[in-house]
Amino acid sequence: AEKKCPVITRSEDHRLMFLRCDLFNAKLAAKRFAKYWNKRIELFGEKAFEPFMLEGSMGNDIDALLNGFVRLLPGKDESGRALIWVDASYLDSTKYTRESMIRALTYIEHAALEDETVQKKGVVFINYNGNNPKFSQFDKTLISMWADSMKGCMPVRVSAIYILQIPTLFSTLANLFKHLLGRRLSKRLLLLPGTNEKIVVSLSKRGIKRESLPIEIGGEVVLDQKKWIEERVEAGK
């Protein structure tokens, strides 16, 4: 990677992402940097050495991005953390490969990391289950691949994982889900049951205001993945 794309690997902005993620512990940041590039090459092949751009290296993964399984919300919480919305009811493995979806998720995570504050403060994942995802849509292989692509690799500080409208199948899969996340990430997982209004109030107490949440749960954000992609293409991202 150092030889094939020094413009990326040796850039100050790129290296700072890893240092910020590991609180400027150079040894840990270097380890994460190496794992990240090994994983990036595994996922993207020769395209790993290109900048992540929708009309470039991501061109074959647009269907996975359009799927809506994971979306970057436009706002942040009161601490400056990015908000990533996850809705498994959108999963449909007939429309993409698992590998393509992981590349799409990597792109979304990098979109969040474009904000320097997010590099320092981290990301909050909000898992919405109000659309009643089916048992068949819980793709444990995909979740395992996603966790593997992040743990110790991505320069993302996972601050919290909120599970909303706990699905009936979750109690059956809870231990497996925690195993896939690993001990460290599992400690950041919090279940938020109850009505939409109760959950909105609970999230507000944790620094996520109503205006930053999608209308599906009683917030004010209209989710439009196609528009988000079009805006990023126009911006050359």
Side-chain angles (χ1 to χ4, degrees):
E2 290 278 0
K3 292 180 180 179
K4 291 195 173 185
C5 56
V7 173
I8 298 176
T9 60
R10 296 178 187 175
S11 74
E12 183 178 350
D13 288 344
H14 185 69
R15 296 195 172 196
L16 273 173
M17 288 196 301
F18 295 88
L19 286 167
R20 287 172 179 141
C21 181
D22 287 302
L23 302 177
F24 285 86
N25 182 316
K27 186 176 181 180
L28 289 178
K31 184 177 180 180
R32 185 182 297 273
F33 182 88
K35 287 188 68 177
Y36 165 87
W37 274 100
N38 285 337
K39 178 59 68 174
R40 179 163 167 159
I41 293 167
E42 176 189 326
L43 288 171
F44 291 88
E46 285 298 311
K47 290 184 178 181
F49 308 114
E50 302 174 18
F52 287 139
M53 294 178 63
L54 292 172
E55 291 193 325
S57 58
M58 295 301 301
N60 294 330
D61 303 304
I62 298 299
D63 286 343
L65 275 166
L66 279 169
N67 171 263
F69 165 48
V70 172
R71 311 177 200 228
L72 176 63
L73 298 182
K76 292 181 284 188
D77 75 358
E78 291 181 337
S79 297
R81 300 179 296 185
L83 304 173
I84 293 183
W85 188 257
V86 183
D87 185 346
S89 71
Y90 282 90
L91 286 175
D92 181 354
S93 59
T94 66
K95 297 180 179 178
Y96 51 81
T97 64
R98 289 188 178 109
E99 290 75 15
S100 182
M101 179 58 76
I102 298 302
R103 289 192 292 270
L105 299 178
T106 300
Y107 177 84
I108 291 170
E109 291 154 10
H110 269 280
L113 289 169
E114 291 169 4
D115 189 319
E116 184 179 317
T117 301
V118 173
Q119 295 176 25
K120 296 175 180 178
K121 300 294 185 178
V123 171
V124 175
F125 288 89
I126 306 173
N127 178 212
Y128 176 70
N129 294 289
N131 288 325
N132 298 313
K134 299 175 183 177
F135 185 86
S136 59
Q137 289 178 298
F138 185 84
D139 187 340
K140 63 179 183 294
T141 300
L142 178 66
I143 300 301
S144 178
M145 290 171 64
W146 189 12
D148 184 61
S149 73
M150 288 195 68
K151 289 186 293 186
C153 298
M154 281 295 294
V156 173
R157 298 178 60 80
V158 180
S159 301
I161 303 170
Y162 297 135
I163 309 291
L164 315 184
Q165 293 109 345
I166 305 164
T168 54
L169 60 88
F170 185 81
S171 58
T172 304
L173 298 169
N175 289 334
L176 174 61
F177 192 65
K178 290 179 179 180
H179 172 72
L180 295 176
L181 288 175
R183 185 175 63 179
R184 185 177 177 184
L185 289 180
S186 292
K187 291 180 179 179
R188 292 167 170 75
L189 190 150
L190 181 65
L191 309 181
L192 297 178
T195 63
N196 282 353
E197 185 59 29
K198 181 179 179 181
I199 291 171
V200 168
V201 171
S202 182
L203 289 172
S204 179
K205 291 177 180 177
R206 292 170 171 81
I208 304 174
K209 298 303 182 183
R210 185 184 298 271
E211 55 265 30
S212 298
L213 294 168
I215 57 174
E216 281 84 343
I217 199 172
E220 299 178 10
V221 175
V222 177
L223 296 174
D224 189 337
Q225 192 76 340
K226 183 179 180 181
K227 182 180 178 182
W228 181 77
I229 289 173
E230 289 172 347
E231 289 174 349
R232 290 188 64 81
V233 168
E234 188 176 343
K237 297 181 178 180

